[in-house]
Amino acid sequence: MTQVIVVNGGSSSGKSGIVRCLQAVLPDPWLALGTDTLVEAMPASMQATDGGIEFAPDGEVIVGPEFRTLEAAWIEGVAAMARAGARVIVDEVFLGGASSQQRWQKALGELRVLWVGVRCDAAVAAGREVARGDRTIGMAASQAEVVHQGVTHDLEVDTTHTEAMECARTIAAHVK
């Protein structure tokens, strides 16, 4: 039985909408946790130091050692929740491509995981980014492809022309 669904895609690719739809269509309750959850839980000072996380004016995201330490603990915590019986959907941005996935693979170990890639044309994601108004311009375009480099997904969906609910139903069909 699938215990964790890891949804990986760039900023403004539609991951969060898909996750909400997954929670609505999957028969059992699933917790939704994501990178944004982690960043919001950190003190504001983490965005003002070299060791934390920085969102550069051009959309680049720079992470330091203090962020990585907290991220590692958070990943282990998510894995512990799944081991304790919670089903978890992780909304992730693999900025490091394969190395980001490897951190999750190590923590999730023997758990049954469905790895989902969310793709979106960079120009479409950039348009969504502008419309949202809460993101650094350039983040969507810079992340659109890099988050998938070297990453192995069990399934990919593309939100360029497909609505979140349809993507969620495609993913749900692969949840065992």
Side-chain angles (χ1 to χ4, degrees):
M1 204 169 215
T2 303
Q3 296 163 286
V4 180
I5 303 169
V6 178
V7 179
N8 168 51
S11 179
S12 299
S13 64
K15 298 179 309 300
S16 298
I18 290 171
V19 169
R20 284 190 299 277
C21 290
L22 271 170
Q23 287 181 302
V25 300
L26 290 169
D28 299 310
W30 287 75
L31 296 176
L33 301 168
T35 299
D36 290 344
T37 311
L38 170 63
V39 172
E40 290 168 10
M42 292 181 175
S45 63
M46 289 288 291
Q47 293 186 32
T49 64
D50 290 342
I53 184 167
E54 179 185 345
F55 301 95
D58 66 355
E60 181 183 9
V61 180
I62 304 153
V63 296
E66 292 171 1
F67 177 88
R68 286 285 181 228
T69 298
L70 291 175
E71 178 191 46
W74 182 75
I75 290 171
E76 289 293 336
V78 171
M81 284 190 283
R83 284 189 188 91
R87 289 181 155 192
V88 182
I89 306 168
V90 179
D91 179 341
E92 245 308 351
V93 182
F94 287 167
L95 292 175
S99 63
S100 296
Q101 184 178 34
Q102 289 164 1
R103 284 192 292 277
W104 277 99
Q105 287 171 324
K106 181 181 175 195
L108 296 173
E110 77 293 345
L111 294 168
R112 299 251 343 237
V113 181
L114 178 64
W115 300 93
V116 179
V118 177
R119 294 196 177 262
C120 183
D121 178 81
V124 172
R128 292 176 186 167
E129 176 180 71
V130 170
R132 288 174 70 157
D134 67 347
R135 298 290 163 135
T136 304
I137 303 302
M139 196 179 294
S142 70
Q143 294 177 5
E145 290 302 320
V146 73
V147 300
H148 300 291
Q149 291 176 354
V151 175
T152 302
H153 295 116
D154 298 313
L155 171 68
E156 288 192 357
V157 294
D158 190 323
T159 64
T160 304
H161 303 291
T162 308
E163 294 296 323
M165 184 56 83
E166 187 177 338
C167 291
R169 287 189 178 117
T170 298
I171 297 165
H174 288 81
V175 174
K176 297 175 174 64

Coordinates of all heavy atoms in Angstrom, one line a residue, residues 85-175:
G85 N 2.0 5.5 10.6 CA 0.7 5.2 10.0 C 0.0 6.3 9.3 O -1.1 6.1 8.7
A86 N 0.5 7.5 9.3 CA -0.1 8.6 8.5 C 0.3 8.4 7.1 O 1.4 8.1 6.7 CB 0.4 9.9 9.0
R87 N -0.7 8.6 6.2 CA -0.4 8.7 4.8 C -0.1 10.2 4.5 O -0.8 11.1 4.9 CB -1.6 8.2 4.0 CG -1.7 6.7 4.1 CD -2.9 6.3 3.3 NE -2.7 4.9 3.0 CZ -3.5 4.2 2.1 NH1 -4.4 4.9 1.4 NH2 -3.3 3.0 1.9
V88 N 1.0 10.4 3.7 CA 1.5 11.7 3.5 C 1.8 12.0 2.1 O 2.4 11.2 1.3 CB 2.9 11.9 4.3 CG1 3.4 13.3 4.2 CG2 2.7 11.6 5.8
I89 N 1.3 13.2 1.7 CA 1.6 13.7 0.3 C 2.6 14.9 0.6 O 2.4 15.8 1.3 CB 0.4 14.3 -0.4 CG1 -0.7 13.3 -0.5 CG2 0.8 14.8 -1.8 CD1 -2.1 13.9 -0.9
V90 N 3.8 14.8 -0.1 CA 4.8 15.8 0.1 C 4.9 16.6 -1.2 O 5.1 16.1 -2.3 CB 6.2 15.1 0.3 CG1 7.3 16.1 0.4 CG2 6.2 14.2 1.5
D91 N 4.7 17.9 -1.0 CA 4.8 18.9 -2.1 C 6.2 19.5 -2.1 O 6.6 20.3 -1.2 CB 3.7 20.0 -1.7 CG 3.7 21.1 -2.7 OD1 4.6 21.3 -3.5 OD2 2.7 21.9 -2.7
E92 N 7.0 19.0 -3.0 CA 8.5 19.3 -3.0 C 9.0 20.0 -4.2 O 8.4 20.0 -5.3 CB 9.2 18.0 -2.9 CG 10.0 17.7 -1.7 CD 11.0 18.8 -1.2 OE1 11.3 19.8 -1.9 OE2 11.6 18.6 -0.1
V93 N 10.1 20.7 -4.1 CA 10.8 21.3 -5.2 C 12.3 20.8 -5.1 O 13.0 21.2 -4.2 CB 10.8 22.9 -5.0 CG1 11.5 23.5 -6.2 CG2 9.4 23.4 -4.9
F94 N 12.6 19.9 -5.9 CA 14.0 19.3 -5.9 C 15.0 20.2 -6.6 O 15.4 19.9 -7.7 CB 14.0 17.9 -6.6 CG 13.3 16.8 -5.8 CD1 13.0 15.6 -6.5 CD2 13.0 16.9 -4.5 CE1 12.4 14.5 -5.8 CE2 12.4 15.9 -3.8 CZ 12.1 14.7 -4.4
L95 N 15.3 21.3 -5.9 CA 16.3 22.2 -6.4 C 17.6 21.6 -6.8 O 18.3 22.0 -7.7 CB 16.5 23.4 -5.4 CG 15.4 24.3 -5.2 CD1 15.7 25.3 -4.1 CD2 14.9 25.0 -6.4
G96 N 18.0 20.6 -6.1 CA 19.2 19.8 -6.4 C 19.1 18.6 -7.3 O 20.0 17.8 -7.4
G97 N 17.9 18.5 -7.9 CA 17.6 17.4 -8.8 C 17.8 16.1 -8.1 O 17.2 15.9 -7.0
A98 N 18.7 15.2 -8.6 CA 18.8 13.9 -8.1 C 19.3 13.9 -6.6 O 18.8 13.0 -5.8 CB 19.8 13.1 -8.9
S99 N 20.1 14.8 -6.2 CA 20.6 14.8 -4.8 C 19.5 15.1 -3.9 O 19.4 14.6 -2.8 CB 21.8 15.8 -4.6 OG 21.4 17.1 -4.9
S100 N 18.5 15.9 -4.3 CA 17.4 16.2 -3.5 C 16.5 15.0 -3.3 O 16.1 14.6 -2.2 CB 16.5 17.3 -4.1 OG 17.2 18.5 -4.1
Q101 N 16.3 14.2 -4.4 CA 15.5 13.0 -4.3 C 16.3 12.0 -3.4 O 15.6 11.3 -2.6 CB 15.3 12.4 -5.7 CG 14.4 11.2 -5.6 CD 14.1 10.6 -7.0 OE1 14.9 10.6 -7.9 NE2 12.9 10.1 -7.2
Q102 N 17.6 11.9 -3.5 CA 18.3 11.0 -2.7 C 18.2 11.2 -1.2 O 18.1 10.3 -0.4 CB 19.8 11.0 -3.1 CG 20.0 10.4 -4.5 CD 21.4 10.7 -5.1 OE1 22.2 11.4 -4.5 NE2 21.6 10.2 -6.3
R103 N 18.1 12.5 -0.8 CA 17.9 12.8 0.6 C 16.5 12.2 1.1 O 16.4 11.6 2.2 CB 17.9 14.3 0.9 CG 19.3 14.9 0.9 CD 19.3 16.3 1.4 NE 18.6 17.3 0.6 CZ 19.1 17.9 -0.5 NH1 20.4 17.6 -0.9 NH2 18.4 18.8 -1.2
W104 N 15.5 12.3 0.3 CA 14.2 11.7 0.6 C 14.2 10.2 0.6 O 13.7 9.6 1.4 CB 13.1 12.3 -0.3 CG 12.6 13.6 0.1 CD1 13.0 14.8 -0.4 CD2 11.6 13.9 1.1 NE1 12.3 15.8 0.3 CE2 11.5 15.3 1.2 CE3 10.9 13.1 2.0 CZ2 10.6 15.9 2.1 CZ3 10.0 13.7 2.9 CH2 9.9 15.1 2.9
Q105 N 14.9 9.7 -0.5 CA 14.9 8.2 -0.6 C 15.6 7.6 0.7 O 15.1 6.6 1.2 CB 15.7 7.8 -1.8 CG 14.9 8.0 -3.1 CD 15.8 7.8 -4.3 OE1 16.9 8.2 -4.4 NE2 15.1 7.3 -5.4
K106 N 16.7 8.2 1.1 CA 17.4 7.7 2.3 C 16.5 7.7 3.5 O 16.4 6.7 4.3 CB 18.6 8.6 2.6 CG 19.4 8.1 3.8 CD 20.6 9.0 4.0 CE 21.3 8.6 5.3 NZ 22.3 9.6 5.7
A107 N 15.7 8.8 3.7 CA 14.9 8.9 4.9 C 13.6 8.0 4.8 O 13.2 7.4 5.8 CB 14.4 10.4 5.1
L108 N 13.1 7.9 3.6 CA 11.9 7.1 3.5 C 12.1 5.6 3.4 O 11.2 4.8 3.7 CB 11.1 7.6 2.2 CG 10.6 9.0 2.2 CD1 10.0 9.4 0.9 CD2 9.6 9.2 3.3
G109 N 13.4 5.3 3.1 CA 13.8 3.9 3.2 C 12.8 2.8 2.6 O 12.5 2.8 1.4
E110 N 12.3 2.0 3.5 CA 11.5 0.9 3.1 C 10.0 1.3 2.9 O 9.2 0.4 2.5 CB 11.5 -0.2 4.2 CG 10.7 0.1 5.5 CD 11.2 1.3 6.3 OE1 12.3 1.8 6.2 OE2 10.4 1.8 7.2
L111 N 9.6 2.5 3.1 CA 8.2 2.9 2.9 C 7.9 2.8 1.4 O 8.7 3.0 0.5 CB 8.0 4.3 3.4 CG 8.2 4.6 4.9 CD1 8.3 6.1 5.2 CD2 7.0 3.9 5.6
R112 N 6.6 2.6 1.1 CA 6.1 2.5 -0.2 C 5.8 3.9 -0.7 O 5.0 4.6 -0.1 CB 4.9 1.6 -0.3 CG 5.1 0.2 0.1 CD 5.0 -0.9 -1.0 NE 4.5 -0.5 -2.2 CZ 3.5 -1.1 -2.8 NH1 2.9 -2.1 -2.2 NH2 3.0 -0.8 -4.0
V113 N 6.6 4.4 -1.7 CA 6.5 5.7 -2.1 C 6.1 5.8 -3.6 O 6.7 5.0 -4.4 CB 7.9 6.5 -2.0 CG1 7.8 7.9 -2.4 CG2 8.4 6.4 -0.5
L114 N 5.3 6.7 -4.0 CA 4.9 7.0 -5.4 C 5.6 8.3 -5.7 O 5.3 9.4 -5.0 CB 3.4 7.1 -5.6 CG 3.0 7.4 -7.0 CD1 3.4 6.3 -8.0 CD2 1.4 7.7 -7.0
W115 N 6.5 8.3 -6.6 CA 7.3 9.5 -7.0 C 6.6 10.2 -8.2 O 6.5 9.5 -9.2 CB 8.7 9.2 -7.3 CG 9.5 8.6 -6.2 CD1 9.6 7.3 -5.9 CD2 10.2 9.3 -5.1 NE1 10.4 7.1 -4.7 CE2 10.7 8.3 -4.2 CE3 10.4 10.7 -4.9 CZ2 11.5 8.7 -3.1 CZ3 11.1 11.0 -3.8 CH2 11.6 10.0 -2.9
V116 N 6.1 11.4 -8.1 CA 5.4 12.0 -9.1 C 6.1 13.3 -9.6 O 6.4 14.2 -8.7 CB 3.9 12.4 -8.7 CG1 3.2 13.1 -9.8 CG2 3.2 11.1 -8.2
G117 N 6.3 13.4 -10.8 CA 6.9 14.7 -11.4 C 5.8 15.5 -12.0 O 4.9 15.0 -12.7
V118 N 5.8 16.8 -11.6 CA 4.8 17.7 -12.2 C 5.5 18.7 -13.1 O 6.4 19.5 -12.6 CB 4.1 18.5 -11.0 CG1 3.1 19.6 -11.6 CG2 3.3 17.6 -10.1
R119 N 5.2 18.6 -14.3 CA 5.8 19.4 -15.3 C 4.9 20.5 -15.8 O 3.7 20.3 -15.7 CB 6.3 18.6 -16.5 CG 7.4 17.6 -16.2 CD 8.1 17.1 -17.4 NE 9.2 16.2 -17.1 CZ 10.4 16.6 -17.1 NH1 10.8 17.9 -17.3 NH2 11.4 15.7 -16.8
C120 N 5.4 21.6 -16.2 CA 4.7 22.7 -16.7 C 5.6 23.6 -17.6 O 6.7 23.8 -17.2 CB 4.1 23.6 -15.6 SG 3.0 24.9 -16.2
D121 N 5.1 23.9 -18.8 CA 5.9 24.8 -19.7 C 6.4 26.0 -18.9 O 5.6 26.6 -18.2 CB 5.0 25.2 -20.9 CG 5.8 26.1 -21.8 OD1 6.6 25.6 -22.6 OD2 5.6 27.3 -21.7
A122 N 7.7 26.3 -19.0 CA 8.2 27.4 -18.2 C 7.5 28.7 -18.4 O 7.3 29.5 -17.5 CB 9.7 27.6 -18.6
A123 N 7.1 29.0 -19.7 CA 6.4 30.3 -19.9 C 5.0 30.3 -19.2 O 4.6 31.3 -18.7 CB 6.2 30.5 -21.4
V124 N 4.3 29.2 -19.2 CA 3.0 29.1 -18.5 C 3.2 29.3 -17.0 O 2.5 30.0 -16.4 CB 2.3 27.8 -18.9 CG1 1.1 27.6 -18.0 CG2 2.0 27.7 -20.4
A125 N 4.2 28.6 -16.5 CA 4.5 28.7 -15.0 C 4.8 30.1 -14.7 O 4.4 30.6 -13.6 CB 5.6 27.7 -14.6
A126 N 5.6 30.8 -15.5 CA 6.0 32.2 -15.3 C 4.8 33.1 -15.3 O 4.7 34.0 -14.5 CB 7.0 32.6 -16.3
G127 N 3.8 32.8 -16.2 CA 2.6 33.6 -16.2 C 1.8 33.4 -14.9 O 1.2 34.4 -14.4
R128 N 1.7 32.2 -14.4 CA 1.0 31.9 -13.2 C 1.7 32.6 -12.0 O 1.1 33.1 -11.1 CB 1.0 30.4 -12.9 CG 0.2 29.6 -13.8 CD 0.3 28.1 -13.5 NE -0.4 27.3 -14.5 CZ -0.3 26.0 -14.7 NH1 0.6 25.4 -13.9 NH2 -0.9 25.4 -15.6
E129 N 3.1 32.6 -12.1 CA 3.9 33.3 -11.0 C 3.5 34.8 -10.9 O 3.3 35.3 -9.8 CB 5.3 33.1 -11.4 CG 6.3 33.7 -10.5 CD 7.7 33.4 -11.0 OE1 8.1 33.9 -12.1 OE2 8.4 32.6 -10.4
V130 N 3.4 35.4 -12.1 CA 3.1 36.8 -12.1 C 1.6 37.0 -11.5 O 1.4 37.9 -10.7 CB 3.2 37.4 -13.5 CG1 2.6 38.8 -13.6 CG2 4.6 37.4 -14.0
A131 N 0.7 36.2 -12.0 CA -0.7 36.3 -11.5 C -0.8 36.1 -10.0 O -1.7 36.7 -9.4 CB -1.6 35.3 -12.3
R132 N 0.0 35.2 -9.5 CA -0.1 34.9 -8.0 C 0.3 36.1 -7.2 O -0.3 36.4 -6.2 CB 0.8 33.8 -7.6 CG 0.4 32.4 -8.1 CD 1.4 31.4 -7.8 NE 1.5 31.1 -6.4 CZ 1.9 30.0 -5.9 NH1 2.4 29.0 -6.6 NH2 2.0 29.8 -4.6
G133 N 1.4 36.8 -7.6 CA 1.8 38.0 -6.9 C 2.5 37.8 -5.6 O 2.9 38.7 -5.0
D134 N 2.8 36.5 -5.3 CA 3.4 36.2 -4.0 C 4.8 35.5 -4.2 O 5.3 35.0 -3.2 CB 2.5 35.4 -3.1 CG 2.2 34.0 -3.6 OD1 2.5 33.7 -4.7 OD2 1.7 33.2 -2.8
R135 N 5.3 35.5 -5.4 CA 6.5 34.8 -5.7 C 7.5 35.8 -6.3 O 7.1 36.7 -7.0 CB 6.3 33.6 -6.7 CG 5.3 32.6 -6.2 CD 6.0 31.8 -5.1 NE 5.0 31.0 -4.3 CZ 5.2 29.8 -3.9 NH1 6.3 29.1 -4.3 NH2 4.3 29.2 -3.2
T136 N 8.8 35.4 -6.2 CA 9.8 36.2 -6.8 C 9.8 35.9 -8.3 O 9.8 34.7 -8.7 CB 11.2 35.8 -6.2 OG1 11.2 36.0 -4.8 CG2 12.3 36.6 -6.8
I137 N 9.7 36.9 -9.1 CA 9.6 36.7 -10.6 C 11.0 36.1 -11.0 O 12.0 36.5 -10.7 CB 9.4 38.1 -11.3 CG1 8.1 38.7 -10.8 CG2 9.4 37.9 -12.8 CD1 6.9 37.9 -11.0
G138 N 10.8 35.0 -11.8 CA 12.0 34.3 -12.3 C 12.1 32.9 -11.7 O 12.8 32.1 -12.3
M139 N 11.5 32.7 -10.6 CA 11.6 31.5 -9.9 C 11.0 30.3 -10.7 O 11.7 29.3 -10.8 CB 10.9 31.5 -8.5 CG 11.3 30.5 -7.6 SD 10.4 30.6 -5.9 CE 11.1 32.1 -5.3
A140 N 9.9 30.5 -11.3 CA 9.2 29.5 -12.0 C 10.0 29.0 -13.3 O 10.2 27.8 -13.5 CB 7.8 29.9 -12.5
A141 N 10.5 30.0 -14.0 CA 11.3 29.7 -15.2 C 12.6 29.0 -14.8 O 13.0 28.0 -15.5 CB 11.6 31.0 -16.0
S142 N 13.3 29.5 -13.7 CA 14.6 28.9 -13.4 C 14.4 27.5 -12.8 O 15.3 26.7 -12.9 CB 15.3 29.8 -12.4 OG 14.6 29.8 -11.1
Q143 N 13.2 27.1 -12.3 CA 13.1 25.8 -11.7 C 12.4 24.8 -12.6 O 12.4 23.6 -12.3 CB 12.2 25.9 -10.4 CG 12.9 26.7 -9.3 CD 12.0 26.9 -8.1 OE1 10.9 26.4 -8.0 NE2 12.5 27.6 -7.1
A144 N 11.8 25.2 -13.7 CA 10.9 24.4 -14.5 C 11.6 23.1 -14.9 O 11.0 22.0 -14.8 CB 10.4 25.1 -15.7
E145 N 12.8 23.1 -15.3 CA 13.5 21.9 -15.7 C 14.5 21.3 -14.7 O 14.6 20.1 -14.5 CB 14.3 22.1 -17.0 CG 13.3 22.3 -18.2 CD 12.4 21.1 -18.4 OE1 12.8 20.0 -18.3 OE2 11.2 21.4 -18.7
V146 N 15.2 22.2 -13.9 CA 16.2 21.8 -13.0 C 15.7 20.8 -12.0 O 16.5 19.9 -11.5 CB 17.0 23.0 -12.4 CG1 16.1 23.7 -11.4 CG2 18.3 22.6 -11.8
V147 N 14.5 20.9 -11.5 CA 14.0 20.1 -10.5 C 13.7 18.6 -11.0 O 13.5 17.7 -10.1 CB 12.6 20.6 -9.9 CG1 12.9 22.0 -9.3 CG2 11.5 20.7 -10.9
H148 N 13.8 18.4 -12.3 CA 13.6 17.1 -12.8 C 14.9 16.4 -13.3 O 14.9 15.2 -13.6 CB 12.6 17.1 -14.0 CG 11.3 17.7 -13.6 ND1 10.4 17.0 -12.8 CD2 10.7 18.8 -13.9 CE1 9.3 17.7 -12.6 NE2 9.4 18.8 -13.3
Q149 N 16.0 17.2 -13.3 CA 17.3 16.6 -13.8 C 17.8 15.5 -12.9 O 18.0 15.7 -11.7 CB 18.3 17.8 -13.9 CG 18.0 18.7 -15.0 CD 19.0 19.9 -15.1 OE1 19.8 20.1 -14.2 NE2 18.8 20.7 -16.1
G150 N 17.9 14.3 -13.5 CA 18.4 13.2 -12.8 C 17.5 12.5 -11.8 O 17.8 11.6 -11.1
V151 N 16.2 13.0 -11.8 CA 15.2 12.5 -10.9 C 14.4 11.4 -11.6 O 14.1 11.5 -12.7 CB 14.3 13.6 -10.4 CG1 13.1 13.1 -9.6 CG2 15.0 14.7 -9.7
T152 N 14.2 10.3 -10.8 CA 13.4 9.2 -11.3 C 12.0 9.3 -10.7 O 11.8 9.2 -9.5 CB 14.0 7.8 -10.9 OG1 15.3 7.8 -11.4 CG2 13.2 6.7 -11.5
H153 N 11.0 9.5 -11.6 CA 9.6 9.5 -11.2 C 8.9 8.2 -11.6 O 9.2 7.7 -12.7 CB 8.9 10.7 -11.9 CG 9.4 12.0 -11.4 ND1 10.0 12.9 -12.3 CD2 9.4 12.6 -10.3 CE1 10.4 14.0 -11.7 NE2 10.0 13.9 -10.4
D154 N 7.9 7.8 -10.8 CA 7.1 6.7 -11.2 C 6.1 7.1 -12.3 O 5.6 6.3 -13.0 CB 6.4 6.1 -10.0 CG 7.3 5.5 -9.0 OD1 8.3 4.8 -9.4 OD2 7.2 5.9 -7.8
L155 N 5.7 8.4 -12.2 CA 4.6 9.0 -13.0 C 4.9 10.4 -13.2 O 5.4 11.1 -12.3 CB 3.3 8.8 -12.2 CG 2.1 9.4 -12.7 CD1 1.6 8.8 -14.0 CD2 1.0 9.3 -11.7
E156 N 4.6 11.0 -14.3 CA 4.7 12.4 -14.6 C 3.3 12.9 -15.1 O 2.6 12.2 -15.8 CB 5.8 12.8 -15.6 CG 7.1 12.6 -15.0 CD 8.2 13.2 -15.9 OE1 7.9 13.8 -17.0 OE2 9.4 13.2 -15.5
V157 N 3.0 14.1 -14.6 CA 1.8 14.8 -15.2 C 2.3 16.2 -15.6 O 3.3 16.7 -15.2 CB 0.7 15.0 -14.1 CG1 0.1 13.6 -13.7 CG2 1.1 15.7 -12.9
D158 N 1.5 16.7 -16.6 CA 1.9 18.1 -17.1 C 0.7 19.0 -17.0 O -0.4 18.7 -17.5 CB 2.3 17.9 -18.6 CG 2.9 19.2 -19.2 OD1 2.4 20.3 -18.8 OD2 3.8 19.0 -20.0
T159 N 0.9 20.1 -16.2 CA -0.2 21.0 -16.0 C -0.3 22.1 -17.0 O -1.1 23.0 -16.8 CB 0.0 21.6 -14.5 OG1 1.2 22.4 -14.5 CG2 0.0 20.5 -13.5
T160 N 0.5 22.1 -18.0 CA 0.5 23.2 -19.0 C -0.9 23.3 -19.5 O -1.4 24.5 -19.7 CB 1.5 22.9 -20.1 OG1 2.8 22.6 -19.6 CG2 1.5 24.0 -21.1
H161 N -1.6 22.2 -19.9 CA -2.9 22.3 -20.4 C -3.9 21.4 -19.7 O -5.0 21.2 -20.2 CB -2.9 21.9 -21.9 CG -2.0 22.7 -22.7 ND1 -2.2 24.1 -23.0 CD2 -0.8 22.5 -23.4 CE1 -1.2 24.6 -23.8 NE2 -0.4 23.6 -24.0
T162 N -3.5 20.8 -18.6 CA -4.3 19.9 -17.8 C -4.6 20.4 -16.5 O -3.7 20.9 -15.7 CB -3.6 18.5 -17.7 OG1 -3.2 18.1 -19.0 CG2 -4.5 17.5 -17.1
E163 N -5.9 20.4 -16.1 CA -6.3 20.9 -14.8 C -5.8 20.0 -13.6 O -5.6 18.8 -13.8 CB -7.9 21.0 -14.7 CG -8.5 22.0 -15.7 CD -8.1 23.4 -15.4 OE1 -8.0 23.8 -14.2 OE2 -7.8 24.2 -16.3
A164 N -5.7 20.6 -12.5 CA -5.3 20.0 -11.3 C -6.1 18.7 -10.9 O -5.5 17.7 -10.6 CB -5.2 20.9 -10.1
M165 N -7.4 18.8 -11.0 CA -8.2 17.6 -10.7 C -8.0 16.4 -11.6 O -7.9 15.3 -11.2 CB -9.7 18.0 -10.7 CG -10.6 16.9 -10.3 SD -10.2 16.2 -8.6 CE -11.1 17.4 -7.6
E166 N -7.8 16.7 -12.9 CA -7.5 15.6 -13.8 C -6.1 15.0 -13.5 O -6.0 13.8 -13.5 CB -7.5 16.1 -15.3 CG -7.4 15.0 -16.3 CD -7.5 15.5 -17.7 OE1 -8.1 16.6 -18.0 OE2 -7.0 14.8 -18.6
C167 N -5.1 15.8 -13.2 CA -3.8 15.3 -12.8 C -3.9 14.5 -11.5 O -3.3 13.4 -11.4 CB -2.9 16.5 -12.6 SG -2.4 17.4 -14.1
A168 N -4.7 15.0 -10.6 CA -4.9 14.3 -9.3 C -5.6 12.9 -9.6 O -5.1 11.9 -8.9 CB -5.8 15.1 -8.3
R169 N -6.5 12.8 -10.4 CA -7.2 11.5 -10.7 C -6.2 10.6 -11.4 O -6.2 9.4 -11.1 CB -8.4 11.8 -11.6 CG -9.5 12.4 -10.8 CD -10.8 12.4 -11.7 NE -11.9 12.9 -10.9 CZ -12.6 14.1 -11.1 NH1 -12.3 14.8 -12.2 NH2 -13.5 14.5 -10.3
T170 N -5.3 11.1 -12.3 CA -4.3 10.3 -12.9 C -3.4 9.7 -11.8 O -3.0 8.5 -11.8 CB -3.5 11.1 -13.9 OG1 -4.4 11.5 -14.9 CG2 -2.4 10.3 -14.5
I171 N -2.9 10.5 -10.9 CA -2.1 10.1 -9.8 C -2.8 9.1 -8.9 O -2.2 8.0 -8.6 CB -1.5 11.3 -9.0 CG1 -0.7 12.2 -9.9 CG2 -0.8 10.8 -7.8 CD1 -0.4 13.6 -9.3
A172 N -4.0 9.4 -8.5 CA -4.8 8.5 -7.6 C -4.9 7.1 -8.2 O -4.9 6.1 -7.5 CB -6.1 9.2 -7.4
A173 N -5.0 7.0 -9.5 CA -5.1 5.7 -10.2 C -3.9 4.9 -10.0 O -3.9 3.7 -10.1 CB -5.4 5.9 -11.7
H174 N -2.8 5.5 -9.7 CA -1.5 4.8 -9.4 C -1.2 4.5 -7.9 O -0.2 3.9 -7.6 CB -0.3 5.6 -10.0 CG -0.3 5.5 -11.5 ND1 -1.1 6.4 -12.3 CD2 0.4 4.8 -12.4 CE1 -0.9 6.1 -13.6 NE2 0.0 5.1 -13.6
V175 N -2.1 5.0 -7.1 CA -2.0 4.8 -5.6 C -2.6 3.4 -5.3 O -3.7 3.2 -5.6 CB -2.6 5.9 -4.8 CG1 -2.6 5.5 -3.3 CG2 -2.0 7.2 -5.1

